[in-house]
Amino acid sequence: MAARRRARGAADSNRRTGKRRASRVRMTGEERRQQLLDIARALFAEKGFDGASIEEIAHRADVSKPVVYEHFGGKEGIYAVVVDREMRNLLDLIVSALSAGHPRELLEQAACALLDYIDTSTDGFRILVRDSPVASTTGTFSSLLNDIASQVEHIFGLQFSAKGYDPKLAPLYSQALVGMVALTGQWWLEVRKPKRDEVAAHLVNLAWNGLSHLEHKPEIHIRK
């Protein structure tokens, strides 16, 4: 009886192993690469760079460590790819949000875009705001904020010139605005209260009206 149970257990184990091997064979190189990136992204967000390991990435992907090394060369390699991808996604999201419109609407669009990214790509944002021990091709989170600020700076420069303000102050105001939104986003990442639109409305309220002209109940004006 015991021998039959052991035999059935061995057969079940062989079938599971066979299924795993079959799934590995069916997955293309690009599919495997994407799978490893998705797993690594979640793991880096959960444990950070130091806490994550190639062993765990391989285990979660149900592959051997050499498969991970073959695609990325090591933990530093896969981490750099994850960071680069997240930075490009966030920058594209912010830049595309800065479409034509009233200056206040541009502020709202930028604030909502960042908060949307935090809400829908929480793991990615957690990775970006950590101190990265590995250089990526697109830089650091600080350099990403500088890229975003340069986009805002161009908009501010045009508005300042049109309204008679010194356009040389546009870089200062763009850095202040982007820094305010980014820092608030890091805070909101953990608390998630108030809701996204309310947070964006209060950010724009402060940026647009200033402390001396705050609206009591600010609302987002852009159409959804």
Side-chain angles (χ1 to χ4, degrees):
M1 190 74 171
R4 284 198 297 272
R5 282 199 299 269
R6 286 195 297 270
R8 284 197 299 270
D12 290 341
S13 177
N14 288 336
R15 280 195 295 273
R16 287 193 296 269
T17 300
K19 289 179 180 178
R20 286 197 298 269
R21 287 173 179 168
S23 66
R24 293 172 188 167
V25 171
R26 285 195 298 269
M27 191 172 290
T28 66
E30 184 56 36
E31 289 170 342
R32 178 66 70 193
R33 179 182 174 84
Q34 187 60 50
Q35 178 207 30
L36 293 172
L37 284 171
D38 291 341
I39 290 172
R41 179 178 183 268
L43 191 58
F44 287 133
E46 176 187 343
K47 298 186 175 183
F49 177 81
D50 291 334
S53 67
I54 289 295
E55 287 83 358
E56 188 162 3
I57 294 172
H59 175 73
R60 293 190 183 189
D62 195 23
V63 298
S64 62
K65 289 193 295 182
V67 173
V68 184
Y69 289 122
E70 179 183 351
H71 281 277
F72 301 100
K75 187 168 71 168
E76 292 82 1
I78 194 170
Y79 182 82
V81 173
V82 169
V83 171
D84 284 342
R85 186 173 64 170
E86 293 302 325
M87 292 182 70
R88 282 195 299 270
N89 289 343
L90 178 54
L91 181 60
D92 290 345
L93 189 64
I94 297 292
V95 171
S96 64
L98 296 174
S99 57
H102 187 274
R104 175 166 181 153
E105 291 181 338
L106 291 173
L107 295 178
E108 292 177 352
Q109 291 162 5
C112 287
L114 177 62
L115 294 174
D116 273 341
Y117 174 80
I118 294 171
D119 194 31
T120 60
S121 301
T122 300
D123 283 353
F125 191 71
R126 287 189 189 281
I127 293 170
L128 290 182
V129 298
R130 282 196 174 103
D131 290 331
S132 172
V134 177
S136 67
T137 59
T138 50
T140 64
F141 186 59
S142 294
S143 66
L144 175 65
L145 295 182
N146 284 331
D147 289 341
I148 297 172
S150 69
Q151 301 290 330
V152 177
E153 176 187 330
H154 175 68
I155 296 169
F156 275 8
L158 295 176
Q159 293 298 320
F160 280 19
S161 296
K163 296 181 181 299
Y165 294 105
D166 185 357
K168 293 180 181 178
L169 293 175
L172 186 156
Y173 278 90
S174 64
Q175 290 287 341
L177 176 65
V178 171
M180 179 181 72
V181 175
L183 188 59
T184 303
Q186 292 183 52
W187 165 79
W188 188 70
L189 171 69
E190 303 300 336
V191 298
R192 296 304 177 95
K193 292 181 180 180
K195 292 182 179 180
R196 186 212 70 162
D197 281 359
E198 189 174 350
V199 174
H202 282 285
L203 279 169
V204 175
N205 189 25
L206 175 59
W208 187 255
N209 297 307
L211 288 173
S212 61
H213 297 91
L214 287 179
E215 297 172 357
H216 291 291
K217 293 184 179 180
E219 296 179 352
I220 290 294
H221 296 163
I222 57 176
R223 297 175 181 177
K224 298 178 181 178

